[in-house]
């Protein structure tokens, strides 16, 4: 039948008798008739639809890679096709991806990674001995002496030992136990994992997770995915985004009416706000967590990014121990670090760790079980994390070059932080707090009433409308403050300070020119 139908389609049916005494043309005609009367098969309904999918996944939002970034991608494709725009490139100032913005990798880190990835280079005279020493140590701890093997679910043992030694040095001899160290796929993986084992209950007993507003959208996304209850506490914008314990108490008391708040998240230095918590503030937060029986999460991935001469990074672990055994033996704390930020900017390796202290022994077993489901974090990322916590030391061959490169990166970031703050504060209708740390500005912007109405007509948040216009008219991609959370009636955007100085000056000038025109248009 198929052959007959095909002959009809090609219009070439010879009228010769077939093997059953019928002409091929009559057989083709029969086949054609059968095909015409056979009902078309209706397409089966999809099993997975927006209505049938996991509603918690549908509720997840991640502004840093949200609609405005998709629009930026569309504009880049249009530029590639030769479509004329008032600009020649899209500047992605939406995300803290240092090397994508032109920051050069740290030589020593890449040398060790090259040696670990291709061990034949260990015989090359082109690599320094201190890099070879670290590479050999890492490889000897890997199955088959290869980064391509799985590691233990908690991470390569010698790397966890190096992380513990780093924490001890950082915190002035406060002890760290390698058994409390868990290597992770970036800090995000650690945060998601620890929240998974913390969230439980239903109804009014469902776990509440206290997060700062503004926040890094990972937190709200994971809370949505786990169907936990988000409990907002607001940072004090008028006081350089300080954390006020009275605000924590307000948020906690209000949340107790509808959930069971048992987790308190702190981001220090802050993202997107760039504030660095004082030691007194950290002590107050720890006391509050101890008093209210809260599990503390300390996101400390920007611990190397402190620029203000009046500020210093204090780890929650160090302050906790220095407050005495009543606190250090009882407050449950998970703290996080990463290869992605700091002076390293190695986002793509996805290296990170978490240190979890005062965890119940039985829960520790449950955590290791949960981690074992994903087998292990990327071993290359674990190796990158090792180099971060075990860099060259004085007297080693690579130390001077490493020191110069690290100081250069952090020094440039400090200059750009000050430059950004100063230039934004020269623009009418923009106010930017000091960028004490991290790698972002989060200025407050004035949006006129007519612009708010125009945004509503487009079914957009006002600051999304503003950022979309900024992108379409200048090619600059920033993230609206509504994606991070903000007080009602205020508007912001987050912009990274990572572009090279001259490009950053151009970006800031374009934002200034756009903002002035925007105010005039919607006055």
């Amino acid at each position: 039948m198929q052959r007959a139908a095909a002959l009809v389609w090609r219009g070439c049916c010879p009228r010769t008798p077939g093997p059953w005494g019928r002409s091929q043309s009559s057989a083709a005609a029969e086949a054609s008739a059968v095909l015409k009367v056979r009902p078309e098969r209706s397409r089966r309904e999809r099993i997975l639809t927006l209505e049938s999918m996991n509603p918690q996944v549908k509720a997840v939002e991640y502004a840093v890679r949200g609609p405005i970034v998709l629009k930026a991608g569309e504009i880049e494709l249009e530029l590639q096709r030769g479509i004329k725009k008032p600009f020649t490139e899209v500047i992605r100032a939406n995300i803290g991806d240092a090397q994508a913005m032109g920051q050069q990798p740290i030589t020593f880190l890449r040398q060790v990674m090259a040696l670990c990835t291709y061990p034949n280079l260990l015989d090359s005279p082109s690599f320094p001995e201190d890099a070879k020493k670290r590479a050999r140590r890492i490889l000897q701890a890997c199955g088959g002496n290869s980064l391509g093997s799985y590691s233990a679910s908690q991470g390569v043992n010698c790397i966890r030992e190096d992380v513990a030694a780093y924490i001890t040095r950082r915190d002035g001899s406060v002890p760290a136990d390698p058994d409390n160290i868990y290597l992770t796929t970036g800090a995000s993986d650690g945060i998601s994992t620890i929240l998974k084992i913390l969230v439980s209950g239903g109804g009014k007993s469902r776990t509440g997770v206290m997060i700062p507003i503004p926040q890094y959208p990972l937190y709200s996304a994971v809370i949505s995915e786990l169907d936990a209850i988000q409990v907002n506490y607001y940072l004090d914008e008028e006081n350089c985004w300080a954390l006020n314990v009275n605000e924590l108490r307000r948020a906690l008391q209000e949340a107790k009416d509808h959930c069971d708040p048992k987790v308190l998240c702190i981001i220090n230095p802050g993202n997107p706000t760039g504030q660095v918590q004082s030691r007194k503030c950290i002590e107050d937060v720890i006391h509050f967590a101890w008093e209210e029986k809260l599990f503390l999460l300390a996101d400390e991935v920007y611990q190397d990014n402190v620029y203000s001469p009046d500020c210093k990074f204090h780890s929650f672990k160090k302050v906790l121990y220095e407050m005495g055994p009543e606190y250090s033996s009882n407050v449950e704390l998970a703290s996080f670090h990463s290869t992605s930020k700091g002076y390293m900017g190695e986002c793509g390796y996805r290296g990170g760790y978490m240190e979890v202290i005062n965890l119940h022994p039985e829960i520790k077993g449950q955590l290791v079980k949960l981690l074992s489901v994903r087998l292990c974090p990327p071993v290359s990322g674990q190796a990158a994390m090792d180099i971060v916590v075990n860099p060259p030391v004085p007297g080693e061959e690579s130390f001077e070059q490493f020191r110069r490169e690290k100081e250069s990166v952090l020094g440039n970031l400090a200059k750009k932080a000050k430059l950004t703050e100063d230039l934004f504060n020269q623009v009418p209708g923009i106010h930017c707090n000091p960028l004490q740390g991290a790698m972002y500005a989060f200025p407050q912007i004035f949006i006129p009433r007519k612009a708010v109405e125009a945004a509503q007509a487009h079914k957009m948040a006002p600051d999304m409308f503003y950022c979309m216009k900024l992108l379409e008219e200048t090619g600059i991609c920033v993230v609206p403050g509504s994606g991070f959370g903000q007080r009602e009636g205020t508007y912001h955007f987050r912009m990274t300070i990572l572009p090279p100085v001259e490009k950053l000056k151009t970006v800031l000038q374009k934002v200034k020119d756009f903002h002035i025109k925007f105010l005039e248009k919607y006055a």
Side-chain angles (χ1 to χ4, degrees), residues 213-497:
I213 298 296
Q215 53 108 14
Y216 178 51
L218 164 74
Y219 290 93
S220 54
V222 174
I223 289 167
S224 292
E225 183 183 354
L226 298 175
D227 199 23
I229 307 299
Q230 180 173 316
V231 179
N232 296 339
Y233 66 88
Y234 289 88
L235 302 175
D236 184 357
E237 183 171 11
E238 294 182 5
N239 191 21
C240 205
W241 299 111
L243 194 165
N244 188 308
V245 171
N246 289 331
E247 169 62 13
L248 291 179
R249 286 201 173 89
R250 177 208 62 78
L252 182 76
Q253 292 308 314
E254 290 183 7
K256 284 181 177 179
D257 291 338
H258 59 274
C259 69
D260 176 22
K262 63 180 183 183
V263 186
L264 173 57
C265 303
I266 310 288
I267 308 173
N268 179 48
N271 175 11
T273 45
Q275 87 286 2
V276 179
Q277 304 292 355
S278 69
R279 182 190 171 88
K280 174 67 166 61
C281 175
I282 293 172
E283 287 179 357
D284 291 345
V285 169
I286 290 172
H287 177 74
F288 176 77
W290 173 81
E291 191 177 50
E292 299 292 346
K293 297 183 174 62
L294 297 172
F295 194 113
L296 267 176
L297 303 188
D299 183 340
E300 298 175 334
V301 301
Y302 296 98
Q303 58 190 258
D304 289 304
N305 301 103
V306 177
Y307 315 126
S308 172
D310 301 325
C311 296
K312 181 182 178 182
F313 171 74
H314 301 277
S315 78
F316 268 75
K317 163 84 174 297
K318 181 176 190 284
V319 176
L320 176 64
Y321 268 74
E322 291 176 348
M323 288 174 69
E326 188 174 12
Y327 295 94
S328 62
S329 299
N330 292 296
V331 175
E332 294 153 281
L333 168 69
S335 51
F336 308 90
H337 195 17
S338 166
T339 62
S340 301
K341 310 304 177 186
Y343 59 89
M344 306 79 67
E346 295 286 3
C347 303
Y349 276 118
R350 308 308 300 132
Y353 74 75
M354 63 178 173
E355 181 186 25
V356 190
I357 60 173
N358 293 325
L359 202 61
H360 190 287
E362 291 179 357
I363 294 299
K364 196 167 188 175
Q366 294 296 314
L367 175 57
V368 171
K369 178 185 73 175
L370 182 60
L371 291 170
S372 70
V373 173
R374 54 94 158 113
L375 296 178
C376 68
V379 180
S380 55
Q382 296 183 51
M385 192 74 247
D386 186 75
I387 307 158
V388 172
V389 299
N390 187 23
V393 296
E396 287 190 307
E397 183 179 352
S398 301
F399 176 72
E400 284 303 323
Q401 181 181 10
F402 168 78
R403 180 186 58 78
R404 286 195 306 271
E405 291 177 355
K406 177 181 176 179
E407 289 178 358
S408 174
V409 171
L410 295 176
N412 280 332
L413 284 169
K415 290 175 187 174
K416 291 187 284 189
K418 185 67 175 136
L419 172 71
T420 302
E421 175 197 340
D422 290 345
L423 291 185
F424 270 148
N425 285 328
Q426 294 172 16
V427 184
I430 295 183
H431 173 72
C432 185
N433 273 325
L435 278 62
Q436 297 174 339
M439 49 184 62
Y440 312 99
F442 195 68
Q444 183 173 154
I445 52 176
F446 172 69
I447 297 183
R449 182 177 56 82
K450 286 186 179 178
V452 173
E453 292 170 354
Q456 291 168 345
H458 286 83
K459 297 183 179 178
M460 287 185 186
D463 50 6
M464 172 64 87
F465 179 75
Y466 177 97
C467 292
M468 198 65 80
K469 291 292 184 186
L470 175 67
L471 173 63
E472 292 169 349
E473 295 180 24
T474 69
I476 297 168
C477 180
V478 297
V479 189
S482 50
F484 301 88
Q486 56 199 351
R487 282 197 180 273
E488 186 73 26
T490 66
Y491 307 109
H492 303 78
F493 63 79
R494 190 191 80 162
M495 186 190 88
T496 182
I497 61 170

Side-chain angles (χ1 to χ4, degrees), residues 30-73:
E30 278 184 37
S32 179
V34 169
L35 288 173
K36 284 179 182 175
V37 298
R38 179 182 291 167
E40 283 190 24
R41 288 184 180 178
S42 60
R43 172 172 270 183
R44 192 185 74 175
E45 285 187 13
R46 301 288 188 194
I47 294 168
L48 186 59
T49 66
L50 281 174
E51 290 71 34
S52 66
M53 72 174 286
N54 184 331
Q56 273 65 61
V57 174
K58 191 157 61 172
V60 168
E61 293 184 3
Y62 187 62
V64 173
R65 296 198 175 195
I68 199 151
V69 181
L70 297 176
K71 181 67 175 177

Side-chain angles (χ1 to χ4, degrees), residues 160-204:
R160 291 191 292 115
E161 290 169 0
D162 287 346
V163 170
Y166 161 80
I167 293 170
T168 301
R169 291 193 309 272
R170 181 197 68 187
D171 292 345
S173 299
V174 172
D177 183 349
D179 203 37
N180 292 335
I181 306 298
Y182 303 81
L183 300 178
T184 57
T185 309
S188 301
D189 172 48
I191 293 163
S192 302
T193 299
I194 205 74
L195 282 173
K196 279 181 185 175
I197 61 173
L198 278 163
V199 172
S200 64
K204 288 189 175 183

